[in-house]
Amino acid sequence: MIHPQLSRGEILDRVRLIRTETVGPVAFDHLIDLYGGAGAALDALPDLARKGGRRDLRIPSRAEAERELAAAEKAGARLLVKGTPTYPRLLAAIEAAPPVIFAKGTLGLTTRPAVAMVGARNASAAGQRLAREIAAELGREGVVVVSGLARGIDGTAHTATLETGTIAVVAGGVDVVYPPEHAALQAKIGKSGLIIAEMPPGTVPQARHFPRRNRLISGLGLGTVVVEAAMKSGSLITARFALEQGREVMAVPGSPLDPRARGTNDLIRQGARLVESAADVIDAIGPMIERPLCEPPEAPYMGGPPASTGEAEIDRHRARVLELLSPVPVGVDEMLRQAELTPPILFTILLELELAGRLIRHAGGRVSLA
C-alpha cells in the first residue's frame, strides 16, 4: 500500500517499532496489518511478548527515535519509509523488505534500471579489469550499478560508475566509513551517487550486519553479477538472495586453477547465466526492464487484533504450535496443514513467539525455534 504522506508521529513510531529488539521486517508488517498503525502496535507489544513468554521487552522511546532522525539529518541523509513514494520500488518488491532505510545522495538513481555487481575482496588484476569494463559499459547504457563498498570488486565497480550512477549499500550507519581506505570513495558516492543503510546512523558494522546488507544489494537490482568468488564467500550469499528474490543471477567464468573462480564457476554449473560483457548482462535483464517488478502481494489477512480473533481459542492452541516447531525451519503453510488451524490463530501465536525472542524467521516463509 502506498501512503502519499505519513504524519511525523507515525514515522517516529515506525522507527521505534522496527528498532524494538525482537521486531523484524515480517513481524513489523504483521503488526501494522493487525493494528492499522505503529502507535497501536507499540501499545500492544508488551502483552503480545508476555503471551509468547517474555516479560522484559524494551521499546525505544520517542526521544530515541527523534535522535536517530536528527543524526541522519546531520549526516545529510533522508529516512525512507516503506509504503511511501520515495522508497525504492525494486527493494519494496523483496520478501522482508526493511520498513525504513536511510539514503544519502541522488535519490533518483533508484528509479532507473539497476544491476548489482559483487565479488572477491582480494580480486585479481584480471577480475578487477573485467569488473571495471563491464560496470563502465553498463553505466554508459544507462544502468545503475549497485554494490557493497567492500574492497576488491565492489570498490572497482563503484569507481567505474561514479559519473554514470552508482549505489553503495553499507552494513553500518550511513555516516560510518567502512572500510577506512574507502573514505574518499564513500564521500564521492554520497555526492554524485547514493549511499543506502538499513542500520541507524552511527552503527559500526559487525559481522552479523553483512548478510542483511547483502539482501539489499541484490534487492536493489534486477540482477546480480558475480565477478570472482571463493566457494564460501559473501558474494555467493548475495547471489542466493538474488535467486530467492526472483532476480537474474549472472557470473563471470574464471580459470579452474584460481580459487577465486570456484564460486562463480559453481554458480554457472547450478544454472546462473554466464556473462562476459555488459551486452550479456543487458540481454539477461532486458525482459525485467520491459516488465517491471512490483511489490509482493500483501500478507494474508490475519483477522484483526488478537482480541477479535478469540483469546480463548488462541490459548488452546499455543501448545500445539510449539509442538510442531523445532530448530529445523518449517514452512508456515506446512504448519497450517498439520495444525489444522485458521491463519489468524497460527499467525498470532507465531508473532507472540517472535516478539518473545523464541522464533526465527527464514527466507521462503519458513520459521524455526530460536
Side-chain angles (χ1 to χ4, degrees):
M1 181 181 295
I2 298 294
H3 303 275
Q5 188 174 2
L6 294 173
S7 69
R8 182 170 179 80
E10 175 66 15
I11 290 171
L12 289 168
D13 285 344
R14 290 190 179 212
V15 172
R16 294 173 62 202
L17 186 59
I18 193 57
R19 299 297 181 232
T20 301
E21 181 184 357
T22 56
V23 176
V26 175
F28 180 98
D29 288 343
H30 282 169
L31 286 163
I32 295 294
D33 179 51
L34 273 172
Y35 295 98
L42 288 168
D43 291 340
L45 280 185
D47 189 52
L48 289 170
R50 180 186 58 77
K51 290 172 181 174
R54 178 169 181 163
R55 298 181 180 276
D56 61 345
L57 184 67
R58 181 186 175 279
I59 300 171
S61 66
R62 178 70 68 90
E64 288 174 278
E66 290 274 16
R67 286 195 292 271
E68 183 172 325
L69 267 60
E73 185 176 351
K74 183 179 179 181
R78 294 179 59 185
L79 179 75
L80 309 183
V81 182
K82 188 174 72 169
T84 62
T86 55
Y87 193 91
R89 178 182 54 81
L90 282 174
L91 190 58
I94 72 170
E95 179 184 9
V100 298
I101 57 174
F102 290 99
K104 178 180 180 179
T106 308
L107 198 55
L109 291 176
T110 64
T111 65
R112 289 167 48 188
V115 167
M117 181 175 287
V118 295
R121 286 175 168 79
N122 62 335
S124 68
Q128 292 189 61
R129 177 182 172 181
L130 271 169
R132 181 166 51 251
E133 291 178 353
I134 293 173
E137 181 59 27
L138 285 171
R140 286 191 289 270
E141 293 294 327
V143 177
V144 173
V145 172
V146 185
S147 199
L149 202 62
R151 302 176 182 95
I153 297 300
D154 289 26
T156 299
H158 286 309
T159 302
T161 53
L162 275 171
E163 295 185 3
T164 57
T166 192
I167 299 175
V169 186
V170 296
V174 72
D175 56 341
V176 175
V177 175
Y178 187 86
E181 59 265 38
H182 279 175
L185 177 58
Q186 185 166 335
K188 289 177 182 176
I189 295 172
K191 291 179 180 178
S192 63
L194 184 65
I195 301 172
I196 284 181
E198 181 178 11
M199 304 304 294
T203 302
V204 177
Q206 300 176 22
R208 60 189 173 87
H209 296 150
F210 288 91
R212 293 181 60 172
R213 175 208 62 172
N214 291 352
R215 87 187 197 285
L216 304 193
I217 294 173
S218 58
L220 283 161
L222 295 167
T224 293
V225 179
V226 184
V227 185
E228 295 191 341
M231 285 302 293
K232 293 183 179 180
S233 71
S235 300
L236 297 187
I237 294 174
T238 307
R240 189 189 74 231
F241 279 129
L243 183 65
E244 291 172 349
Q245 293 162 354
R247 312 296 167 86
E248 190 72 40
V249 179
M250 297 159 276
V252 176
S255 169
L257 299 176
D258 190 342
R260 290 168 293 196
R262 289 178 184 166
T264 50
N265 291 348
D266 189 58
L267 282 174
I268 293 168
R269 276 193 295 271
Q270 293 182 50
R273 185 180 292 230
L274 186 156
V275 294
E276 298 173 308
S277 66
D280 293 339
V281 175
I282 292 172
D283 182 61
I285 66 169
M288 302 180 80
I289 295 175
E290 294 169 8
R291 296 190 299 275
L293 296 167
C294 60
E295 291 191 35
E298 292 184 6
Y301 177 59
M302 294 178 63
S308 67
T309 303
E311 284 289 350
E313 196 69 9
I314 293 172
D315 291 341
R316 277 200 314 119
H317 295 291
R318 281 197 185 92
R320 173 59 176 156
V321 171
L322 278 169
E323 186 180 86
L324 290 172
L325 288 167
S326 78
V328 179
V330 60
V332 174
D333 289 344
E334 180 63 24
M335 291 193 68
L336 278 170
R337 283 192 290 271
Q338 292 197 31
E340 297 182 343
L341 298 176
T342 63
I345 291 175
L346 177 61
F347 292 165
T348 299
I349 295 171
L350 294 179
L351 181 60
E352 292 171 352
L353 292 171
E354 184 176 5
L355 294 175
R358 300 172 65 189
L359 185 87
I360 298 174
R361 301 269 181 184
H362 303 269
R366 297 174 301 144
V367 293
S368 69
L369 281 179

